[in-house]
């Protein structure tokens, strides 16, 4: 049993959560880019002295499950003897603990006296980190060198001062250096906030009690997770899904998951998944593990505090050299964005056989990435815009899926139209739900979105999406959701619409419009069992939307 009494355990656990949440608030409040200040594409967490996560702010799932890999990589590169107060380690290398290059992670030690007692870390998606395409989310990249600047663990801060050489190298390789500098400073402010608040928590409880509490928090989560897993039936369940294409001609890239429950532990094996491919849909192991952790937590007990202990009962097996555990120099930007979603769909599909009442039908299964960039005619400066788009959530036992939301591994907000049109030479021509796009069922899938964006100056556009040939699957007799689509309206003329591939990069002229339609969620249960009043409401809403 823990030496920490239950009251102290809860006080410290909630204190650690408050540290992570305040770090996030600092990062969002002080960042420069709308990608962080508006979309909130960032995450923060606290780790013990052994680089084990003890608390996280509830922000972006794909960040948080993978962040421990980055913190571990930073600590392997710089041990406690290599660090001093005020240091901060920066990295984004997907093959050294990262996820994809736009996600920059900053890790800072927390010293008490001369000893490291904890680490604080954050991750922010930067709207451009160089590479072949503005926005650094290239749908046509074939290796990581085309995706942007790759940063192994390096010290961005030394003793409280910037390493100007490191900063200069980074900013010389991006299109929007002022914005990048601003967001990096916000990340530094966030880890400084985390360091100060962690020390305040330590001082209130004494070092020994604080260190004991960090271990006790993890043990508590482990006990609850093991109890939740033990509540699942023993056995092995398998499910196969697929990525539609990699943007380079390869299609139907299998994602296979076999989930084995054995007492209070669970193994998820991705044997049979497709070999890594030329296009940018390869996922590092950190991303696949993150998606698996998310899914198991969602299906067991989402209230279990997420930390290192929560995941001790979980083993992830992913063959090296596959789309779920890629080896360098594979392109990976879409692995974080798209393959992570398909991993969730595959693991959920397997668990639907074991506990069907707990698993929803498939959500939209894509982040519907749109990246735009060029030279702003208002000031002659380079600009880069990045956005993920919501869609339909899957129907589930007892409830319809939500409309127009980010599902599973993405949890960002959208960029408000007013901000988008002020910050960039863009105009939003249309933004709304797609009537009838949710899969039919006793409980309907959520509706997808349509968003049409016009450029007010020549620009490069990149679309990186999935679920445009086959809609998200339904469960227990429910119908699949409607697939997504993308189109170009030359000079804004919808009557001359040109279909766009799900993964493409193209040049736009002034007035051209990119139209994205996102998938609806799958339906749950036999449509014949849908309540007649709900069916009548569906008809009224669809009629109103079409009018």
């Amino acid at each position: 049993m823990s030496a920490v009494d239950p009251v102290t355990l809860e006080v410290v656990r909630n204190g650690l959560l408050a540290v992570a949440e305040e770090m996030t608030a600092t990062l969002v409040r002080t960042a420069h880019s709308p990608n962080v200040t508006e979309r909130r594409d960032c995450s923060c967490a606290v780790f013990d002295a052994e680089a084990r996560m003890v608390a996280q702010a509830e922000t972006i799932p794909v960040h948080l499950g993978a962040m421990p890999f980055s913190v571990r990589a930073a600590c392997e590169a710089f041990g406690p003897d290599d660090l001093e107060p005020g240091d901060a380690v920066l990295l984004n290398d997907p093959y050294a603990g990262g996820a994809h290059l736009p996600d920059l992670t900053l890790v800072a030690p927390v010293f008490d006296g001369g000893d490291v007692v904890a680490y604080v870390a954050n991750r922010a998606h930067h709207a451009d980190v160089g590479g072949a395409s503005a926005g650094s989310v290239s749908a046509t990249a074939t290796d990581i060198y085309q995706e942007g600047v790759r940063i192994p663990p390096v010290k961005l801060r030394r003793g409280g001062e910037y390493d100007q050489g490191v900063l200069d190298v980074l900013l010389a390789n991006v299109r929007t250096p002022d914005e990048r500098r601003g967001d990096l400073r916000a990340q530094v402010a966030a880890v400084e906030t985390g360091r100060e608040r962690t020390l305040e928590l330590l001082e209130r409880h004494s070092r020994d009690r604080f260190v004991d509490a960090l271990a006790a928090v993890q043990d508590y989560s482990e006990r609850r997770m093991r109890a939740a897993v033990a509540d699942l039936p023993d056995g092995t369940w398998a499910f196969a899904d697929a990525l539609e294409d990699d943007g380079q001609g390869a299609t139907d890239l299998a994602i296979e998951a076999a989930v084995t429950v054995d007492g209070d532990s669970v193994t998820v094996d991705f044997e049979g998944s497709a070999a890594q491919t030329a296009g940018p849909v390869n996922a590092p192991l950190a991303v696949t593990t993150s998606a698996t952790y998310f899914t198991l937590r969602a299906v067991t007990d989402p209230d279990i505090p997420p930390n290192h202990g929560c995941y001790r009962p979980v083993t992830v097996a992913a063959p090296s050299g596959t789309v779920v555990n890629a080896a360098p120099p594979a392109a990976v930007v879409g692995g974080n964005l798209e393959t992570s979603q398909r991993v969730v769909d595959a693991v959920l599909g397997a668990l639907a056989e074991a506990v069907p009442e707990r698993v929803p039908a498939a959500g939209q299964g894509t982040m519907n990435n749109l990246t735009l960039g060029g030279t702003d005619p208002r000031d002659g400066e380079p600009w880069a815009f990045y956005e993920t788009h919501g869609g339909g959530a899957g129907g589930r036992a007892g409830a319809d899926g939500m409309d127009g939301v980010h599902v599973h591994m993405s949890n960002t907000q959208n960029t408000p139209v007013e901000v988008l049109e002020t910050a960039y030479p863009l105009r939003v021509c249309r933004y709304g739900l797609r009537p009838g796009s949710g899969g039919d069922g006793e409980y309907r899938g959520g509706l997808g979105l349509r968003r049409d964006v016009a450029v007010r100056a020549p620009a490069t556009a990149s679309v990186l999406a999935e679920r445009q040939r086959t809609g998200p699957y339904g469960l227990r007799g429910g119908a699949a959701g409607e697939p997504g689509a993308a189109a170009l309206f030359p000079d804004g003329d919808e009557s001359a619409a040109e279909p766009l591939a799900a993964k493409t990069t193209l040049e736009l002229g002034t007035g051209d419009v990119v139209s994205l339609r996102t998938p609806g969620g799958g339906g749950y249960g036999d449509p014949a069992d849908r309540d007649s009043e709900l069916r009548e409401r569906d008809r009224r809403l669809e009629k109103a939307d079409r009018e």
Side-chain angles (χ1 to χ4, degrees):
M1 293 293 292
S2 169
V4 180
D5 66 87
V7 173
T8 301
L9 174 65
E10 278 300 286
V11 169
V12 174
R13 184 178 71 81
N14 283 281
L16 293 166
L17 176 60
V19 172
E21 294 287 358
E22 188 173 349
M23 288 170 63
T24 303
T26 300
L27 179 50
V28 168
R29 187 173 62 249
T30 60
H32 283 214
S33 71
N35 200 52
V36 177
T37 61
E38 301 293 342
R39 292 186 61 246
R40 305 196 173 199
D41 197 345
C42 59
S43 301
C44 299
V46 183
F47 297 76
D48 69 11
E50 303 300 320
R52 297 174 300 208
M53 188 171 69
V54 293
Q56 66 179 46
E58 296 286 7
T59 45
I60 312 299
V62 76
H63 287 177
L64 293 164
M67 199 185 299
F69 288 78
S70 294
V71 175
R72 192 155 55 243
C75 292
E76 289 171 356
F78 299 98
D81 294 339
D82 302 314
L83 298 168
E84 60 180 85
D87 284 359
V89 179
L90 181 71
L91 70 156
N92 73 348
D93 188 349
Y95 299 111
H100 66 174
L101 297 182
D103 283 343
L104 269 58
T105 300
L106 194 67
V107 183
V110 179
F111 278 87
D112 180 50
D115 301 320
V116 174
V117 293
Y119 294 90
V120 290
N122 61 57
R123 175 171 288 178
H125 184 115
H126 285 247
D128 187 89
V129 290
S133 297
S136 310
V137 180
S138 172
T140 54
T142 55
D143 60 45
I144 196 167
Y145 308 113
Q146 300 172 35
E147 295 187 319
V149 60
R150 182 176 167 192
I151 309 167
V154 294
K155 285 189 181 182
L156 179 67
R157 301 264 287 181
R158 295 176 180 271
E161 301 294 332
Y162 285 97
D163 185 317
Q164 196 60 45
V166 170
L167 189 60
D168 288 347
V169 167
L170 173 59
L171 298 181
N173 283 279
V174 301
R175 295 171 177 83
T176 51
D178 290 341
E179 189 176 83
R180 301 287 65 73
R181 182 185 291 106
D183 284 356
L184 283 169
R185 286 177 174 172
Q187 289 186 259
V188 169
V191 294
E192 284 300 301
T193 297
R195 183 185 61 80
E196 293 173 8
R197 296 296 180 264
T198 301
L199 284 175
E200 290 172 4
L201 193 61
L202 181 150
E203 290 166 2
R204 286 198 296 270
H205 295 279
S206 81
R207 185 199 288 193
D208 289 345
R209 182 51 60 95
F210 175 77
V211 171
D212 288 345
L214 296 188
V217 164
Q218 297 172 65
D219 292 343
Y220 171 72
S221 289
E222 180 181 1
R223 290 194 300 272
R224 287 190 57 179
M225 188 64 172
R226 289 195 183 279
V229 171
D231 192 45
L232 302 174
D234 281 1
T236 298
W237 295 271
F239 190 87
D241 207 327
L243 295 164
E244 292 177 342
D245 70 276
D246 72 341
Q248 294 293 322
T251 59
D252 299 322
L253 299 162
I255 307 289
E256 298 189 9
V259 179
T260 299
V261 178
D262 183 7
D264 64 358
S265 64
V266 59
T267 298
V268 182
D269 192 341
F270 292 93
E271 183 70 40
S273 295
Q276 67 186 61
T277 190
V281 297
N282 305 288
L285 181 60
V287 168
T288 297
T289 301
S290 179
T292 303
Y293 285 169
F294 163 83
T295 310
L296 290 170
R297 183 175 171 231
V299 171
T300 51
D301 181 357
D303 290 330
I304 297 173
N307 56 47
H308 178 78
C310 179
Y311 305 124
R312 285 173 184 157
V314 181
T315 300
V316 177
S320 180
T322 63
V323 292
V324 292
N325 185 5
V332 298
V333 68
N336 184 75
L337 303 166
E338 299 300 306
T339 308
S340 66
Q341 298 279 47
R342 196 63 68 253
V343 167
V344 173
D345 289 342
V347 177
L348 281 177
L351 288 168
E353 297 295 318
V355 282
E357 71 285 353
R358 299 190 193 181
V359 177
Q364 66 161 336
T366 174
M367 296 192 195
N368 303 292
N369 306 273
L370 175 64
T371 311
L372 296 160
T375 300
D376 194 329
R378 296 171 297 182
D379 58 14
E381 294 294 323
W383 62 278
F385 166 75
Y386 171 68
E387 182 88 89
T388 57
H389 296 79
R396 59 199 188 279
D400 290 346
M402 296 178 68
D403 302 330
V405 295
H406 289 272
V407 303
H408 301 320
M409 299 310 288
S410 174
N411 191 33
T412 61
Q413 300 182 27
N414 70 178
T415 306
V417 171
E418 299 85 351
V419 173
L420 183 153
E421 294 185 339
T422 300
Y424 308 103
L426 300 171
R427 182 169 60 88
V428 177
C429 307
R430 179 169 177 168
Y431 193 20
L433 297 172
R434 297 177 64 202
S437 55
D440 201 2
E442 182 180 4
Y443 300 103
R444 169 183 67 74
L447 302 181
L449 293 170
R450 174 175 170 177
R451 197 178 203 188
D452 297 357
V453 180
V455 296
R456 293 155 55 192
T460 300
S462 187
V463 176
L464 178 58
E466 271 282 323
R467 295 291 196 203
Q468 293 198 0
R469 288 194 288 111
T470 303
Y473 61 75
L475 283 180
R476 309 193 78 180
E482 187 172 322
L488 169 68
F489 303 158
D491 201 27
D493 184 0
E494 187 170 352
S495 67
E498 302 172 8
L500 295 176
K503 299 171 185 67
T504 188
T505 298
L506 66 157
E507 298 300 320
L508 303 177
T510 301
D512 286 352
V513 172
V514 175
S515 176
L516 283 182
R517 296 100 187 275
T518 69
Y524 185 96
D526 189 337
D529 295 333
R530 186 162 178 78
D531 182 85
S532 59
E533 292 185 6
L534 290 177
R535 185 70 71 189
E536 179 58 32
R537 186 203 64 180
D538 295 342
R539 283 193 287 267
R540 290 197 306 271
L541 290 174
E542 186 169 340
K543 180 180 178 182
D545 284 337
R546 294 191 186 281
E547 291 175 349

